[in-house]
Amino acid sequence: MRVIAFVGLPLSGKTTASKVAEEMGIPVVCMGDVVREEAKKRNLPLTDEVLGKIANELREKEGMDAIAKRCIPLIREKGKDVGVVVVDGIRGIAEVEAFKKAFDDFILIAVEAPLEVRFQRALKRKRSDDVKNIEELKERDRRELSWNLAKALEIADFTIENTSSLDEFREKVRDLLEQLAKKVEVEIETKVNPTEDVDKVVQAVKNLFPDADITIEGDTLRAKAWDLRKFRDLLRRQRILDTARTELLKGKSNNETTVFLNKQTAYIGKVNFTDEDAILSPIRVTFKLYGIPFGKFLDYLAPPTKAGKPIREVDRLI
Ligand SMILES: Nc1ncnc2c1ncn2[C@@H]1O[C@H](COP(=O)(O)OP(=O)(O)OP(=O)(O)O)[C@@H](O)[C@H]1O
């Protein structure tokens, strides 16, 4: 399993980066949530002071990697089907070491932004535990650096600067995660004909790819999705693995493949392969592979069968 972690000073943009991962269908484990959970269990308010105290206490009692250790089973659980997990909130080198020991494929990404920029963001965000003045932020920086955050930042495999716009930052994160998550991006396109109900076409796409991020421009629906599980499951339930395999091979070009699906059957939650020039325009689906061999992708979605049953199952892409 590949574990990707973001590390950075307070307000550098770690949570924003994790949200991008989530939108891409990558499960996220938030280390701060482990501390927040502990505060809730003790009926304490979720202020910076309380959370800081609890984090310190856990580290004193159980070691500097206490929070990381509590996250390891959560990471295993969340990543078991997907093969990749993002961890948000590493605060020290001991935590990096704990994760490296637990996961042999561990990648650390530093998120960096100067103090003043981060302070301006705190003023805008106003979370209950956010700093009220720049001195408080300096104090938080000091506290976190005392946990050897500096060392973790130093040994990071990648660094993303978060000094410009939110959109630019999100784009940088997405680009890097696309490379690292070794996943498949699904590009979907179809025409919404004048006789068709837009909502129904949207539903048809969502039935096959529930995480599809849909935009409609004029008469064209376009979407991006990452989660292949529903589509994969439908191929099995409908027992159309051989057809699917043939179609996926037919549409292959370099590291992507395109298939055409019937819109009407998609609307009732079924996969039905069709031709590019089918009436009422089909749903064009392109699977773009990042770092995954085509054969593995093919075996994951539609393995070869014998007497209608898969010869072997590839349960994960990574
Ligand atoms: N490039 C940016 N431009 C404008 N605002 C941003 C940018 N990056 C992050 N922000 C905003 O700054 C705030 C802090 O970002 P975020 O919560 O992602 O940081 P964090 O590193 O997770 O913080 P913390 O360590 O305090 O949990 C958020 O309100 C976020 O929307």
Side-chain angles (χ1 to χ4, degrees), residues 8-17 36 88 91 121-122 124-125 127 130 140 162-167 169:
L9 283 164
L11 294 136
S12 51
K14 304 176 296 282
T15 308
T16 307
R36 277 183 208 121
D88 171 20
R91 294 240 168 15
R121 289 176 188 161
K124 265 201 181 158
R125 183 170 70 171
R127 202 170 70 186
D130 267 343
R140 261 189 87 174
N162 181 12
T163 42
S164 46
S165 76
L166 198 55
D167 280 349
F169 176 59

Side-chain angles (χ1 to χ4, degrees), residues 88-272:
D88 171 20
I90 285 201
R91 294 240 168 15
I93 193 77
E95 296 177 328
V96 172
E97 276 157 10
F99 286 133
K100 280 198 166 168
K101 204 166 141 199
F103 306 102
D104 47 12
D105 190 0
F106 178 80
I107 294 173
L108 190 63
I109 305 175
V111 183
E112 293 190 349
L115 181 78
E116 182 57 38
V117 173
R118 288 183 289 119
F119 180 58
Q120 291 308 324
R121 289 176 188 161
L123 293 183
K124 265 201 181 158
R125 183 170 70 171
K126 298 195 191 89
R127 202 170 70 186
S128 70
D129 61 340
D130 267 343
V131 294
K132 308 287 181 295
N133 57 58
I134 200 149
E135 281 312 313
E136 255 184 72
L137 183 57
K138 276 190 193 160
E139 179 48 40
R140 261 189 87 174
D141 278 9
R142 262 196 296 275
R143 191 178 78 207
E144 307 232 340
L145 288 167
S146 77
W147 293 332
N148 266 334
L149 180 67
K151 255 194 203 143
L153 288 170
E154 239 170 61
I155 63 148
D157 302 293
F158 299 90
T159 298
I160 304 180
E161 296 281 344
N162 181 12
T163 42
S164 46
S165 76
L166 198 55
D167 280 349
E168 251 172 77
F169 176 59
R170 287 171 49 84
E171 202 50 45
K172 278 196 224 172
V173 173
R174 181 174 259 275
D175 278 354
L176 185 56
L177 287 178
E178 268 177 9
Q179 306 301 323
L180 297 179
K182 290 194 202 156
K183 288 191 57 118
V184 177
E185 182 178 39
V186 190
E187 273 184 9
I188 301 155
E189 191 180 314
T190 189
K191 288 257 172 299
V192 182
N193 295 300
T195 52
E196 286 177 318
D197 181 347
V198 178
D199 291 344
K200 283 194 170 179
V201 180
V202 168
Q203 193 55 53
V205 170
K206 289 261 183 195
N207 282 345
L208 308 185
F209 300 98
D211 69 328
D213 182 10
I214 296 177
T215 51
I216 297 168
E217 257 175 61
D219 65 351
T220 307
L221 176 151
R222 287 194 184 86
K224 277 200 175 169
W226 295 86
D227 193 345
L228 302 179
R229 285 174 294 180
K230 181 77 186 287
F231 185 70
R232 181 176 185 267
D233 185 47
L234 287 170
L235 301 181
R236 275 157 187 71
R237 276 201 277 148
Q238 290 177 231
R239 296 168 187 275
I240 52 169
L241 290 175
D242 291 344
T243 311
R245 194 171 171 91
T246 308
E247 292 293 325
L248 288 164
L249 274 168
K250 200 169 83 187
K252 180 179 183 303
S253 148
N254 298 323
N255 57 342
E256 61 179 57
T257 182
T258 300
V259 294
F260 296 91
L261 304 174
N262 183 299
K263 213 187 293 170
Q264 283 69 37
T265 37
Y267 179 61
I268 56 162
K270 289 204 158 157
V271 176
N272 190 359

